[in-house]
Amino acid sequence: YQMVYRRAPFAHLAPMQRAMALADPALEVDLPAGHGLESYSTATAARLVDVLRRCLRREPHERAALPELLAHEFLQRGSQEVSRRAMDRAVEAIV
C-alpha cells in the first residue's frame, strides 16, 4: 500500500483516531484511484488493486496466502515489467 500510495493507509488520521479506526471491524481500507500505476493500463491498475484488497482483508483467514499472491496475474513475470530504476525511485520515495 505504501509503495503504491506513498503513505500508510491511515496516515491522515491522528494517532488516537488511527487506533480507534483500526479497532473498528466495519472499517475498510480506502484504495483511491490516485496511485503509482496511474500511467499504466486500467487492467494493470485493476490487478494491482485486487492484490491490495486480498492482502488487506481484516480477517487473517480471508487474506491471500503467499502461493495465491505469487500466482496472481499482477505478479506474474511478463504481465508487467518494472524497470530497476523505477523500483529504486519508488523505494527512495518511501525511505
Side-chain angles (χ1 to χ4, degrees), residues 49-68:
V49 169
D50 185 54
V51 167
L52 290 175
R53 282 189 206 286
R54 292 170 185 245
C55 290
L56 295 173
R57 292 191 176 138
R58 179 172 291 280
E59 296 296 328
H61 68 275
E62 293 178 1
R63 292 182 201 139
L66 187 55
E68 182 184 346

Side-chain angles (χ1 to χ4, degrees), residues 10 17-28 58:
F10 302 105
Q17 290 175 315
R18 193 175 309 139
M20 298 298 287
L22 290 172
D24 180 359
L27 179 75
E28 292 190 23
R58 179 172 291 280

Side-chain angles (χ1 to χ4, degrees), residues 25-90:
L27 179 75
E28 292 190 23
V29 176
D30 185 31
L31 299 171
H35 51 66
L37 293 181
E38 285 181 316
S39 62
Y40 291 84
S41 71
T42 55
T44 298
R47 287 190 290 266
L48 167 67
V49 169
D50 185 54
V51 167
L52 290 175
R53 282 189 206 286
R54 292 170 185 245
C55 290
L56 295 173
R57 292 191 176 138
R58 179 172 291 280
E59 296 296 328
H61 68 275
E62 293 178 1
R63 292 182 201 139
L66 187 55
E68 182 184 346
L69 289 172
L70 292 174
H72 193 281
E73 189 177 7
F74 181 76
L75 298 175
Q76 291 297 304
R77 187 169 186 84
S79 67
Q80 183 60 55
E81 296 285 332
V82 177
S83 73
R84 175 64 190 219
R85 184 168 179 248
M87 181 60 79
D88 288 344
R89 283 189 309 211

